[in-house]
Amino acid sequence: ASAHLCRPPPPMCDSFRQQGAHAAHTACVAGLGASLTAADAFHAASSHSSLGDAPEAARWYERALHLRPSFAEARLNLAAVLATLRRPAEAEESYRAALAMRTWPPSVAAAAHNNLGVLLREGGRTSEATAAFAAA
């Protein structure tokens, strides 16, 4: 019980995020321990991304997916971070998985297909890139 009293409750973590205090938010979420939810991990990843820390963002998106494998938004954001980290095979896998997980709003689906197309084109896979761009 004393460990619970030492860490801020999740609503406080969320208030840091809402205020744009990304460093405070990530520190708060890191202290949640066993009470960490997939949404907490997702928001921590987003905060790390806002802070320009792509490796930590990837780690937290992966944690969100470990907690909730069907978390399509985390899968899609992970794909973008993996592309930034120059991990194209993993990024491609994540883009394809995310696109297959749900029906996305048209603008989100178009952006994801376009990003996949750029990734494929950079890898010299022109015909696959063309197909991805066409789907955008």
Side-chain angles (χ1 to χ4, degrees), residues 15-95:
S15 70
F16 289 138
R17 181 182 59 83
Q18 291 171 354
Q19 296 167 18
H22 299 295
H25 177 252
T26 58
C28 185
V29 170
L32 292 178
S35 65
L36 181 78
T37 67
D40 293 329
F42 177 85
H43 291 306
S46 297
S47 287
H48 279 290
S49 199
S50 294
L51 292 167
D53 190 349
E56 276 299 295
R59 189 174 76 78
W60 282 96
Y61 283 129
E62 288 166 348
R63 198 163 187 188
L65 288 162
H66 175 75
L67 293 166
R68 188 179 354 143
S70 64
F71 201 160
E73 291 80 2
R75 176 70 61 201
L76 187 59
N77 287 4
L78 175 61
V81 171
L82 291 170
T84 299
L85 291 171
R86 302 285 182 214
R87 292 164 56 185
E90 294 168 272
E92 177 187 353
E93 180 183 332
S94 284
Y95 275 124

Side-chain angles (χ1 to χ4, degrees), residues 106-124:
S107 62
V108 175
H113 281 289
N114 186 66
N115 291 345
L116 177 60
V118 169
L119 190 70
L120 294 167
R121 184 182 62 207
E122 288 174 354

